[in-house]
Amino acid sequence: MFGYEFYVDPSRCIGCQSCVNACAECETHRGTPMIHVDYLDRANTIATVPFVCMHCDDPTCAKVCPADAIKKTEDGVVQSSLKPRCIACSNCVLACPFGIPKMMTELEQMMKCDMCYDRTSAGKRPMCATVCPSQALAFVPREQIERSRREKPTNVFQFGRQRVTTKVHMMVPPDENAVSVDVADYIWEAKP
């Protein structure tokens, strides 16, 4: 769908898992959801966020694949691995800064969100965006999201010194220009 972009707004996620169930119903996913919902900081809040592939402009998963099994289409969608090429080494799973690709051991293939490429390439919205009751996942024109939300979209993520830009946008507070992810914030430390 020309002019449509994918937006994730964690502040709107209600943890209902509708996106996960809709994703699993897609025939190309063989009954397995390619999206998941997780807690942001389970020790301190019940806030949840949907995790989809961010479709990096320079996808690390494809760069580390020794079999050249992961392709990015001309419209910027990073596909699941090609079954005939995937050697199930899990390099892509370990390399993704967002932790998205999953090794489907029974299939010996990496699979992940492909933004419902079978649907979006035919002019339809991704399954998850069609069922999200709170619009935490939205597939709309940029003008529409900017007009209807107080947050603003960004596709810039900072992992320490590494800057990653993506096809998928994250909604952030109006005074933010990027999402900064510090891995040290997620390292567990024992209390004395």
Side-chain angles (χ1 to χ4, degrees):
M1 295 176 71
F2 182 76
Y4 282 65
E5 295 179 325
F6 199 100
Y7 299 92
V8 178
D9 188 345
S11 70
R12 289 182 168 238
C13 183
I14 58 175
C16 70
Q17 306 259 347
S18 294
C19 54
V20 174
N21 293 320
C23 185
E25 290 179 12
C26 181
E27 290 180 21
T28 58
H29 300 157
R30 304 172 203 158
T32 303
M34 298 295 128
I35 181 174
H36 68 277
V37 174
D38 205 350
Y39 293 95
L40 283 177
D41 181 10
R42 192 165 189 168
N44 299 307
T45 177
I46 58 169
T48 55
V49 63
F51 287 88
V52 299
C53 178
M54 300 304 285
H55 299 279
C56 299
D57 291 335
D58 188 18
T60 304
C61 59
K63 291 172 76 174
V64 300
C65 180
D68 194 26
I70 303 169
K71 302 295 182 187
K72 180 179 167 186
T73 59
E74 288 183 11
D75 55 1
V77 174
V78 181
Q79 300 288 323
S80 288
S81 69
L82 298 168
K83 176 64 178 157
R85 287 181 170 245
C86 184
I87 59 172
C89 67
S90 295
N91 280 359
C92 53
V93 174
L94 299 171
C96 175
F98 298 100
I100 298 299
K102 301 290 180 240
M103 181 53 59
M104 311 302 275
T105 51
E106 65 281 358
L107 301 173
E108 296 184 340
Q109 179 186 12
M110 181 283 285
M111 293 180 69
K112 63 170 199 58
C113 161
D114 60 4
M115 206 181 291
C116 285
Y117 198 70
D118 56 331
R119 293 178 54 86
T120 54
S121 62
K124 298 178 180 176
R125 296 187 304 153
M127 290 288 281
C128 57
T130 63
V131 300
C132 182
S134 62
Q135 292 296 295
L137 299 172
F139 190 72
V140 296
R142 187 179 186 97
E143 303 78 38
Q144 181 178 336
I145 202 94
E146 288 177 338
R147 187 177 57 245
S148 63
R149 307 278 174 100
R150 67 174 176 242
E151 297 86 6
K152 73 177 186 183
T154 186
N155 66 341
V156 178
F157 297 85
Q158 197 70 41
F159 294 90
R161 294 183 192 158
Q162 183 182 9
R163 182 177 189 256
V164 175
T165 57
T166 62
K167 180 176 178 64
V168 174
H169 294 78
M170 182 79 70
M171 300 304 289
V172 297
D175 57 336
E176 299 286 333
N177 293 317
V179 175
S180 180
V181 181
D182 187 347
V183 175
D185 291 343
Y186 301 98
I187 296 175
W188 176 78
E189 292 181 29
K191 294 182 180 177

PDB file of all heavy atoms in Angstrom, residues 131-155:
ATOM      1  N   VAL A 131      -6.444  -5.827  13.714  1.00  0.00           N
ATOM      2  CA  VAL A 131      -7.209  -6.282  14.880  1.00  0.00           C
ATOM      3  C   VAL A 131      -6.877  -5.539  16.172  1.00  0.00           C
ATOM      4  O   VAL A 131      -7.573  -5.727  17.178  1.00  0.00           O
ATOM      5  CB  VAL A 131      -7.026  -7.798  15.120  1.00  0.00           C
ATOM      6  CG1 VAL A 131      -7.496  -8.594  13.923  1.00  0.00           C
ATOM      7  CG2 VAL A 131      -5.584  -8.126  15.457  1.00  0.00           C
ATOM      8  N   CYS A 132      -5.845  -4.716  16.181  1.00  0.00           N
ATOM      9  CA  CYS A 132      -5.426  -4.055  17.428  1.00  0.00           C
ATOM     10  C   CYS A 132      -6.516  -3.079  17.885  1.00  0.00           C
ATOM     11  O   CYS A 132      -6.761  -2.063  17.226  1.00  0.00           O
ATOM     12  CB  CYS A 132      -4.101  -3.317  17.230  1.00  0.00           C
ATOM     13  SG  CYS A 132      -3.509  -2.529  18.753  1.00  0.00           S
ATOM     14  N   PRO A 133      -7.171  -3.360  19.024  1.00  0.00           N
ATOM     15  CA  PRO A 133      -8.293  -2.509  19.448  1.00  0.00           C
ATOM     16  C   PRO A 133      -7.870  -1.138  19.968  1.00  0.00           C
ATOM     17  O   PRO A 133      -8.674  -0.210  19.994  1.00  0.00           O
ATOM     18  CB  PRO A 133      -8.952  -3.328  20.557  1.00  0.00           C
ATOM     19  CG  PRO A 133      -7.850  -4.162  21.113  1.00  0.00           C
ATOM     20  CD  PRO A 133      -6.953  -4.466  19.945  1.00  0.00           C
ATOM     21  N   SER A 134      -6.619  -1.000  20.366  1.00  0.00           N
ATOM     22  CA  SER A 134      -6.163   0.279  20.928  1.00  0.00           C
ATOM     23  C   SER A 134      -5.285   1.062  19.952  1.00  0.00           C
ATOM     24  O   SER A 134      -4.779   2.121  20.305  1.00  0.00           O
ATOM     25  CB  SER A 134      -5.394   0.022  22.218  1.00  0.00           C
ATOM     26  OG  SER A 134      -4.252  -0.765  21.940  1.00  0.00           O
ATOM     27  N   GLN A 135      -5.080   0.510  18.767  1.00  0.00           N
ATOM     28  CA  GLN A 135      -4.219   1.124  17.745  1.00  0.00           C
ATOM     29  C   GLN A 135      -2.773   1.285  18.215  1.00  0.00           C
ATOM     30  O   GLN A 135      -2.082   2.222  17.818  1.00  0.00           O
ATOM     31  CB  GLN A 135      -4.790   2.457  17.271  1.00  0.00           C
ATOM     32  CG  GLN A 135      -6.087   2.298  16.494  1.00  0.00           C
ATOM     33  CD  GLN A 135      -5.855   1.526  15.194  1.00  0.00           C
ATOM     34  OE1 GLN A 135      -5.164   2.005  14.314  1.00  0.00           O
ATOM     35  NE2 GLN A 135      -6.419   0.326  15.082  1.00  0.00           N
ATOM     36  N   ALA A 136      -2.334   0.358  19.076  1.00  0.00           N
ATOM     37  CA  ALA A 136      -0.917   0.328  19.430  1.00  0.00           C
ATOM     38  C   ALA A 136      -0.099  -0.065  18.206  1.00  0.00           C
ATOM     39  O   ALA A 136       1.065   0.301  18.083  1.00  0.00           O
ATOM     40  CB  ALA A 136      -0.668  -0.656  20.570  1.00  0.00           C
ATOM     41  N   LEU A 137      -0.723  -0.819  17.317  1.00  0.00           N
ATOM     42  CA  LEU A 137      -0.131  -1.157  16.022  1.00  0.00           C
ATOM     43  C   LEU A 137      -0.996  -0.497  14.966  1.00  0.00           C
ATOM     44  O   LEU A 137      -2.209  -0.729  14.922  1.00  0.00           O
ATOM     45  CB  LEU A 137      -0.104  -2.672  15.806  1.00  0.00           C
ATOM     46  CG  LEU A 137       0.715  -3.469  16.829  1.00  0.00           C
ATOM     47  CD1 LEU A 137       0.498  -4.957  16.633  1.00  0.00           C
ATOM     48  CD2 LEU A 137       2.188  -3.132  16.698  1.00  0.00           C
ATOM     49  N   ALA A 138      -0.381   0.317  14.136  1.00  0.00           N
ATOM     50  CA  ALA A 138      -1.146   1.028  13.102  1.00  0.00           C
ATOM     51  C   ALA A 138      -0.388   0.988  11.787  1.00  0.00           C
ATOM     52  O   ALA A 138       0.839   1.109  11.754  1.00  0.00           O
ATOM     53  CB  ALA A 138      -1.390   2.468  13.532  1.00  0.00           C
ATOM     54  N   PHE A 139      -1.106   0.781  10.715  1.00  0.00           N
ATOM     55  CA  PHE A 139      -0.547   0.799   9.361  1.00  0.00           C
ATOM     56  C   PHE A 139      -1.350   1.839   8.596  1.00  0.00           C
ATOM     57  O   PHE A 139      -2.428   1.544   8.057  1.00  0.00           O
ATOM     58  CB  PHE A 139      -0.664  -0.594   8.729  1.00  0.00           C
ATOM     59  CG  PHE A 139       0.093  -0.746   7.441  1.00  0.00           C
ATOM     60  CD1 PHE A 139       1.478  -0.816   7.443  1.00  0.00           C
ATOM     61  CD2 PHE A 139      -0.570  -0.838   6.236  1.00  0.00           C
ATOM     62  CE1 PHE A 139       2.178  -0.972   6.261  1.00  0.00           C
ATOM     63  CE2 PHE A 139       0.117  -0.994   5.045  1.00  0.00           C
ATOM     64  CZ  PHE A 139       1.502  -1.067   5.061  1.00  0.00           C
ATOM     65  N   VAL A 140      -0.863   3.054   8.623  1.00  0.00           N
ATOM     66  CA  VAL A 140      -1.606   4.206   8.109  1.00  0.00           C
ATOM     67  C   VAL A 140      -0.645   5.172   7.417  1.00  0.00           C
ATOM     68  O   VAL A 140       0.574   5.073   7.591  1.00  0.00           O
ATOM     69  CB  VAL A 140      -2.344   4.938   9.251  1.00  0.00           C
ATOM     70  CG1 VAL A 140      -3.413   4.058   9.888  1.00  0.00           C
ATOM     71  CG2 VAL A 140      -1.356   5.418  10.311  1.00  0.00           C
ATOM     72  N   PRO A 141      -1.172   6.138   6.672  1.00  0.00           N
ATOM     73  CA  PRO A 141      -0.302   7.183   6.111  1.00  0.00           C
ATOM     74  C   PRO A 141       0.299   8.024   7.240  1.00  0.00           C
ATOM     75  O   PRO A 141      -0.332   8.234   8.282  1.00  0.00           O
ATOM     76  CB  PRO A 141      -1.252   8.034   5.259  1.00  0.00           C
ATOM     77  CG  PRO A 141      -2.416   7.151   4.970  1.00  0.00           C
ATOM     78  CD  PRO A 141      -2.548   6.261   6.174  1.00  0.00           C
ATOM     79  N   ARG A 142       1.505   8.525   7.029  1.00  0.00           N
ATOM     80  CA  ARG A 142       2.202   9.316   8.055  1.00  0.00           C
ATOM     81  C   ARG A 142       1.382  10.529   8.493  1.00  0.00           C
ATOM     82  O   ARG A 142       1.324  10.852   9.681  1.00  0.00           O
ATOM     83  CB  ARG A 142       3.569   9.758   7.536  1.00  0.00           C
ATOM     84  CG  ARG A 142       4.396  10.443   8.615  1.00  0.00           C
ATOM     85  CD  ARG A 142       5.770  10.854   8.103  1.00  0.00           C
ATOM     86  NE  ARG A 142       6.573  11.357   9.171  1.00  0.00           N
ATOM     87  CZ  ARG A 142       7.470  10.657   9.863  1.00  0.00           C
ATOM     88  NH1 ARG A 142       7.664   9.399   9.572  1.00  0.00           N
ATOM     89  NH2 ARG A 142       8.169  11.200  10.824  1.00  0.00           N
ATOM     90  N   GLU A 143       0.730  11.188   7.551  1.00  0.00           N
ATOM     91  CA  GLU A 143      -0.051  12.377   7.892  1.00  0.00           C
ATOM     92  C   GLU A 143      -1.155  12.032   8.896  1.00  0.00           C
ATOM     93  O   GLU A 143      -1.453  12.806   9.797  1.00  0.00           O
ATOM     94  CB  GLU A 143      -0.693  12.996   6.646  1.00  0.00           C
ATOM     95  CG  GLU A 143       0.266  13.380   5.555  1.00  0.00           C
ATOM     96  CD  GLU A 143       0.732  12.179   4.723  1.00  0.00           C
ATOM     97  OE1 GLU A 143      -0.062  11.261   4.442  1.00  0.00           O
ATOM     98  OE2 GLU A 143       1.933  12.157   4.369  1.00  0.00           O
ATOM     99  N   GLN A 144      -1.738  10.874   8.750  1.00  0.00           N
ATOM    100  CA  GLN A 144      -2.822  10.462   9.645  1.00  0.00           C
ATOM    101  C   GLN A 144      -2.314  10.252  11.065  1.00  0.00           C
ATOM    102  O   GLN A 144      -2.947  10.701  12.020  1.00  0.00           O
ATOM    103  CB  GLN A 144      -3.481   9.190   9.125  1.00  0.00           C
ATOM    104  CG  GLN A 144      -4.639   8.726  10.001  1.00  0.00           C
ATOM    105  CD  GLN A 144      -5.323   7.487   9.444  1.00  0.00           C
ATOM    106  OE1 GLN A 144      -5.260   7.218   8.245  1.00  0.00           O
ATOM    107  NE2 GLN A 144      -5.977   6.740  10.304  1.00  0.00           N
ATOM    108  N   ILE A 145      -1.174   9.596  11.213  1.00  0.00           N
ATOM    109  CA  ILE A 145      -0.656   9.325  12.563  1.00  0.00           C
ATOM    110  C   ILE A 145      -0.189  10.623  13.219  1.00  0.00           C
ATOM    111  O   ILE A 145      -0.369  10.826  14.413  1.00  0.00           O
ATOM    112  CB  ILE A 145       0.469   8.255  12.540  1.00  0.00           C
ATOM    113  CG1 ILE A 145       0.611   7.590  13.907  1.00  0.00           C
ATOM    114  CG2 ILE A 145       1.804   8.815  12.137  1.00  0.00           C
ATOM    115  CD1 ILE A 145      -0.145   6.349  14.081  1.00  0.00           C
ATOM    116  N   GLU A 146       0.395  11.515  12.445  1.00  0.00           N
ATOM    117  CA  GLU A 146       0.859  12.782  13.013  1.00  0.00           C
ATOM    118  C   GLU A 146      -0.310  13.674  13.427  1.00  0.00           C
ATOM    119  O   GLU A 146      -0.227  14.400  14.404  1.00  0.00           O
ATOM    120  CB  GLU A 146       1.746  13.516  12.002  1.00  0.00           C
ATOM    121  CG  GLU A 146       3.094  12.858  11.825  1.00  0.00           C
ATOM    122  CD  GLU A 146       3.963  13.525  10.764  1.00  0.00           C
ATOM    123  OE1 GLU A 146       3.413  14.223   9.878  1.00  0.00           O
ATOM    124  OE2 GLU A 146       5.181  13.334  10.823  1.00  0.00           O
ATOM    125  N   ARG A 147      -1.389  13.586  12.696  1.00  0.00           N
ATOM    126  CA  ARG A 147      -2.563  14.406  12.981  1.00  0.00           C
ATOM    127  C   ARG A 147      -3.339  13.894  14.196  1.00  0.00           C
ATOM    128  O   ARG A 147      -3.923  14.664  14.946  1.00  0.00           O
ATOM    129  CB  ARG A 147      -3.465  14.424  11.741  1.00  0.00           C
ATOM    130  CG  ARG A 147      -4.637  15.367  11.800  1.00  0.00           C
ATOM    131  CD  ARG A 147      -5.449  15.387  10.506  1.00  0.00           C
ATOM    132  NE  ARG A 147      -5.934  14.064  10.129  1.00  0.00           N
ATOM    133  CZ  ARG A 147      -5.564  13.394   9.033  1.00  0.00           C
ATOM    134  NH1 ARG A 147      -4.714  13.911   8.187  1.00  0.00           N
ATOM    135  NH2 ARG A 147      -6.065  12.207   8.769  1.00  0.00           N
ATOM    136  N   SER A 148      -3.311  12.591  14.424  1.00  0.00           N
ATOM    137  CA  SER A 148      -4.182  12.006  15.439  1.00  0.00           C
ATOM    138  C   SER A 148      -3.499  11.655  16.759  1.00  0.00           C
ATOM    139  O   SER A 148      -4.171  11.247  17.698  1.00  0.00           O
ATOM    140  CB  SER A 148      -4.854  10.757  14.871  1.00  0.00           C
ATOM    141  OG  SER A 148      -3.871   9.785  14.549  1.00  0.00           O
ATOM    142  N   ARG A 149      -2.182  11.799  16.847  1.00  0.00           N
ATOM    143  CA  ARG A 149      -1.482  11.400  18.080  1.00  0.00           C
ATOM    144  C   ARG A 149      -0.685  12.565  18.663  1.00  0.00           C
ATOM    145  O   ARG A 149      -0.177  13.405  17.931  1.00  0.00           O
ATOM    146  CB  ARG A 149      -0.505  10.246  17.801  1.00  0.00           C
ATOM    147  CG  ARG A 149      -1.112   9.035  17.114  1.00  0.00           C
ATOM    148  CD  ARG A 149      -1.801   8.124  18.081  1.00  0.00           C
ATOM    149  NE  ARG A 149      -2.488   7.040  17.409  1.00  0.00           N
ATOM    150  CZ  ARG A 149      -2.018   5.802  17.293  1.00  0.00           C
ATOM    151  NH1 ARG A 149      -0.849   5.509  17.807  1.00  0.00           N
ATOM    152  NH2 ARG A 149      -2.715   4.880  16.673  1.00  0.00           N
ATOM    153  N   ARG A 150      -0.547  12.571  19.984  1.00  0.00           N
ATOM    154  CA  ARG A 150       0.315  13.585  20.589  1.00  0.00           C
ATOM    155  C   ARG A 150       1.782  13.159  20.523  1.00  0.00           C
ATOM    156  O   ARG A 150       2.680  13.986  20.527  1.00  0.00           O
ATOM    157  CB  ARG A 150      -0.114  13.861  22.025  1.00  0.00           C
ATOM    158  CG  ARG A 150       0.108  12.709  22.966  1.00  0.00           C
ATOM    159  CD  ARG A 150      -0.182  13.045  24.417  1.00  0.00           C
ATOM    160  NE  ARG A 150      -0.021  11.850  25.196  1.00  0.00           N
ATOM    161  CZ  ARG A 150      -0.979  11.276  25.885  1.00  0.00           C
ATOM    162  NH1 ARG A 150      -2.152  11.820  25.935  1.00  0.00           N
ATOM    163  NH2 ARG A 150      -0.768  10.166  26.555  1.00  0.00           N
ATOM    164  N   GLU A 151       2.063  11.850  20.471  1.00  0.00           N
ATOM    165  CA  GLU A 151       3.418  11.367  20.312  1.00  0.00           C
ATOM    166  C   GLU A 151       3.839  11.576  18.855  1.00  0.00           C
ATOM    167  O   GLU A 151       3.008  11.808  17.994  1.00  0.00           O
ATOM    168  CB  GLU A 151       3.519   9.876  20.669  1.00  0.00           C
ATOM    169  CG  GLU A 151       3.191   9.552  22.099  1.00  0.00           C
ATOM    170  CD  GLU A 151       1.691   9.344  22.327  1.00  0.00           C
ATOM    171  OE1 GLU A 151       0.929   9.344  21.338  1.00  0.00           O
ATOM    172  OE2 GLU A 151       1.285   9.215  23.483  1.00  0.00           O
ATOM    173  N   LYS A 152       5.128  11.476  18.611  1.00  0.00           N
ATOM    174  CA  LYS A 152       5.596  11.596  17.229  1.00  0.00           C
ATOM    175  C   LYS A 152       6.358  10.329  16.832  1.00  0.00           C
ATOM    176  O   LYS A 152       6.938   9.652  17.687  1.00  0.00           O
ATOM    177  CB  LYS A 152       6.452  12.833  17.050  1.00  0.00           C
ATOM    178  CG  LYS A 152       7.832  12.747  17.660  1.00  0.00           C
ATOM    179  CD  LYS A 152       8.616  14.002  17.345  1.00  0.00           C
ATOM    180  CE  LYS A 152      10.043  13.872  17.813  1.00  0.00           C
ATOM    181  NZ  LYS A 152      10.826  15.079  17.589  1.00  0.00           N
ATOM    182  N   PRO A 153       6.369  10.015  15.539  1.00  0.00           N
ATOM    183  CA  PRO A 153       7.063   8.804  15.105  1.00  0.00           C
ATOM    184  C   PRO A 153       8.558   9.036  14.922  1.00  0.00           C
ATOM    185  O   PRO A 153       8.979  10.114  14.512  1.00  0.00           O
ATOM    186  CB  PRO A 153       6.402   8.492  13.761  1.00  0.00           C
ATOM    187  CG  PRO A 153       5.903   9.796  13.256  1.00  0.00           C
ATOM    188  CD  PRO A 153       5.597  10.638  14.464  1.00  0.00           C
ATOM    189  N   THR A 154       9.320   8.000  15.240  1.00  0.00           N
ATOM    190  CA  THR A 154      10.748   8.002  14.935  1.00  0.00           C
ATOM    191  C   THR A 154      11.136   6.611  14.464  1.00  0.00           C
ATOM    192  O   THR A 154      10.512   5.624  14.856  1.00  0.00           O
ATOM    193  CB  THR A 154      11.613   8.399  16.149  1.00  0.00           C
ATOM    194  OG1 THR A 154      12.987   8.499  15.721  1.00  0.00           O
ATOM    195  CG2 THR A 154      11.536   7.376  17.274  1.00  0.00           C
ATOM    196  N   ASN A 155      12.118   6.577  13.616  1.00  0.00           N
ATOM    197  CA  ASN A 155      12.652   5.285  13.178  1.00  0.00           C
ATOM    198  C   ASN A 155      14.149   5.221  13.455  1.00  0.00           C
ATOM    199  O   ASN A 155      14.882   4.505  12.800  1.00  0.00           O
ATOM    200  CB  ASN A 155      12.354   5.035  11.702  1.00  0.00           C
ATOM    201  CG  ASN A 155      13.083   6.001  10.791  1.00  0.00           C
ATOM    202  OD1 ASN A 155      13.530   7.063  11.213  1.00  0.00           O
ATOM    203  ND2 ASN A 155      13.200   5.637   9.532  1.00  0.00           N
TER     204      ASN A 155
END
